[in-house]
Amino acid sequence: MRGHTPVLLDEVIQFLDPKPGGRFIDATLGAGGHTRAILERSTPDGKVLAIDQDESALAGASETLASFGSRLAVVHSSFKDIGRIAAENGFLEADGVLADIGISSMMIDDPARGFSFMREGPLDMRMDQSQELTAADVVNTYSEKEIADILYKYGEERRSRAIARSIVKARPLQLTTDLARAIERVMGTPRYRQIHPATRTFQALRVVVNDELQCLETFLDSAMTVVRSGGRLVVVTFHSLEDRIVKQKFRMPPVPGRVLTKKVVIGTEDEVRRNSRARSAKLRAWEKS
Ligand SMILES: C[S@@+](CC[C@H](N)C(=O)[O-])C[C@H]1O[C@@H](n2cnc3c(N)ncnc32)[C@H](O)[C@@H]1O
């Protein structure tokens, strides 16, 4: 599957419950693993409208899913515009919407995308490469206080001030490894089996570069409007800030509905053993009244 294993696949399918003739929106196509399962379950005539802001993901998935022909339509955009995209493509009153947010394994594994502190590459971190703002812009031009606030707010990093100071001192930073070293100067080198000290800073920068939390809020409001009555919204998140937003929105939706996941759904031990990305995955599902 082009280097990305879909997480919580059985659970996603159980909640979306795709049937022949159904119309589904996959707001985060990625490598297309979830979309493939939806199309297979809705054979012969179910349809998927798939969105991704990463053009290389769209190109790859369109190729691997080509055999589904016109049952799959893809759109390059942020999922925050799902309302407009659904209207333009005849997918209002959809039977289900899925978002499996965050970054794909292809993005993490490609040093040129700059998402990983383990791989030397430019400080980029843009999911949509047509956008201007990069992680290099943030670390090299934002004030020390702005950087500290970002690390604290979006990375829940307790040493945010000291790391921000070290970043500003190390300017100009060009590579992921320049940033990792600036962080290590404060946090020390990673110890065996410990979470890497750069994890929270990289997460925070990624969230800001891609405006992830605001996009998620806007998306949830629109997606709840886009699904039909009785239709379902299934969201998979990978860190606590995102999960909190989903949980709160499901509790206080803009339109009436009910939460299908009284308790958040997480990967089974077996899945986590097979796919380490599943370790932090959390699924919540909602049904419109
Ligand atoms: C975890 S991957 C999805 C994997 C996919 N479910 C699969 O089975 O292969 C997340 C994808 O969401 C995309 N993405 C993240 N935020 C987005 C946004 N705001 N708008 C559109 N796509 C987004 C990323 O580009 C990435 O390809």
Side-chain angles (χ1 to χ4, degrees), residues 39 102 158:
L39 286 166
R158 275 178 296 146

Side-chain angles (χ1 to χ4, degrees), residues 107-280:
M107 286 169 170
I108 303 175
D109 293 344
D110 181 355
R113 303 296 296 265
F115 284 105
S116 171
F117 43 80
M118 313 275 275
R119 295 177 172 76
E120 183 165 279
L123 273 171
D124 188 319
M125 300 197 196
R126 291 170 302 169
M127 291 194 208
D128 178 351
Q129 291 180 295
S130 65
Q131 130 184 344
E132 273 190 17
L133 183 74
T134 67
D137 295 331
V138 177
V139 295
N140 289 315
T141 68
Y142 284 26
S143 72
E144 186 178 318
K145 173 159 188 332
E146 282 171 319
I147 295 174
D149 289 348
I150 285 168
L151 303 191
Y152 187 72
K153 200 165 160 199
Y154 302 122
E156 300 180 288
E157 175 55 72
R158 275 178 296 146
R159 308 286 310 277
S160 55
R161 282 175 203 285
I163 294 174
R165 203 172 312 126
S166 178
I167 287 174
V168 169
K169 226 168 144 188
R171 282 177 177 171
L173 295 91
Q174 267 147 5
L175 301 172
T176 48
T177 41
D178 295 338
L179 178 57
R181 272 195 293 273
I183 299 164
E184 279 173 16
R185 256 173 240 131
V186 175
M187 309 283 278
T189 45
R191 273 181 245 137
Y192 179 64
R193 280 181 168 270
Q194 223 181 23
I195 164 172
H196 193 286
T199 307
R200 286 183 291 272
T201 295
F202 271 67
Q203 175 194 300
L205 290 171
R206 211 195 82 193
V207 166
V208 166
V209 168
N210 299 289
D211 195 18
E212 291 181 34
L213 303 185
Q214 188 54 54
C215 280
L216 177 58
E217 289 246 17
T218 311
F219 161 77
L220 292 172
D221 279 332
S222 300
M224 287 168 151
T225 313
V226 160
V227 289
R228 68 168 167 80
S229 166
R232 291 175 169 190
L233 170 59
V234 178
V235 186
V236 180
T237 60
F238 292 88
H239 58 79
S240 55
L241 296 173
E242 296 168 338
D243 182 53
R244 212 173 297 153
I245 291 174
V246 178
K247 189 174 165 185
Q248 279 168 6
K249 189 64 76 184
F250 280 14
R251 266 202 208 136
M252 280 187 286
V255 290
R258 70 185 176 108
V259 180
L260 301 173
T261 43
K262 290 286 169 266
K263 255 184 73 182
V264 70
V265 176
I266 56 172
T268 59
E269 262 180 47
D270 185 44
E271 174 170 9
V272 173
R273 206 175 315 117
R274 282 182 286 116
N275 179 9
S276 61
R277 279 188 74 258
R279 203 178 339 134
S280 43

